[in-house]
Amino acid sequence: MLTSQKPQFLQLLASTMASYGKSMPEPGIVASWWSNLEPYSLRDVAAALQGYCDENGEFAPVPAGIAMRCKLMDGRPSSEEAWAIALTGKDEESTVVWTQEMAEAFSICRPVLDSSGAISARKPFLAAYERLVSEARAQRRPAEWIASIGWDKTMQVAVVKRAVCAGLLPAP
């Protein structure tokens, strides 16, 4: 969040706490909220707070819990979804749009895929992908979607167009 968005954040926090029958936290606690959530966009913080409230009507949220929700809203797919996406790019003909972590995990499991097949390669991919995503989230790196262009021109256009429509890649 930008410093200029702090008043909006404080209003959001106050209304969230009020919905739990709580008053605005003390200034020291508000500072903890801000320091935990400052790296995330106000939109993501608002969505994380709303998601928490929708699921947890009994207890008021805490800064670390909302920060964890924000981390999980970074646009990276789950490991199983990432595996399915990565498999679409297993040959040089295919174009695939994937995250940097998917590309790295796929390169790690590629020798197993080539020698033993997809069933054997799935486990090392999942382990590598989960480790790489955890590292990226710990460093607060945003998801970076990239296109790996295959030689099939028809597929290139269709895949990239879908990724642009989904907001994963900028329009050319």
Side-chain angles (χ1 to χ4, degrees), residues 47-107:
L49 282 166
Q50 185 61 54
Y52 178 89
C53 292
D54 290 347
E55 296 170 14
N56 302 290
E58 194 173 343
F59 300 106
V62 295
I66 299 303
M68 179 58 71
R69 280 180 172 267
C70 289
K71 279 183 189 178
L72 296 176
M73 295 168 52
D74 65 1
R76 288 179 176 91
S78 70
S79 56
E80 294 289 348
E81 184 180 1
W83 173 240
I85 292 168
L87 272 182
T88 65
K90 67 181 175 186
D91 58 42
E92 292 182 15
E93 173 186 13
S94 303
T95 295
V96 63
V97 175
W98 53 8
T99 64
Q100 188 63 42
E101 294 84 13
M102 280 189 250
E104 290 178 38
F106 197 68
S107 71

Side-chain angles (χ1 to χ4, degrees), residues 33-155:
W33 274 95
W34 182 257
S35 67
N36 272 274
L37 301 177
E38 186 179 18
Y40 308 104
S41 72
L42 183 60
R43 191 179 114 245
D44 285 351
V45 170
L49 282 166
Q50 185 61 54
Y52 178 89
C53 292
D54 290 347
E55 296 170 14
N56 302 290
E58 194 173 343
F59 300 106
V62 295
I66 299 303
M68 179 58 71
R69 280 180 172 267
C70 289
K71 279 183 189 178
L72 296 176
M73 295 168 52
D74 65 1
R76 288 179 176 91
S78 70
S79 56
E80 294 289 348
E81 184 180 1
W83 173 240
I85 292 168
L87 272 182
T88 65
K90 67 181 175 186
D91 58 42
E92 292 182 15
E93 173 186 13
S94 303
T95 295
V96 63
V97 175
W98 53 8
T99 64
Q100 188 63 42
E101 294 84 13
M102 280 189 250
E104 290 178 38
F106 197 68
S107 71
I108 290 169
C109 81
R110 187 65 193 225
V112 178
L113 180 66
D114 291 341
S115 67
S116 303
I119 293 172
S120 298
R122 181 179 164 272
K123 195 168 185 175
F125 174 88
L126 297 177
Y129 178 75
E130 289 168 1
R131 177 181 49 79
L132 292 164
V133 166
S134 291
E135 290 170 4
R137 286 179 173 158
Q139 296 169 9
R140 294 186 171 146
R141 285 194 323 257
E144 179 187 352
W145 289 85
I146 53 176
S148 175
I149 305 296
W151 57 261
D152 182 336
K153 298 281 187 206
T154 309
M155 187 183 283

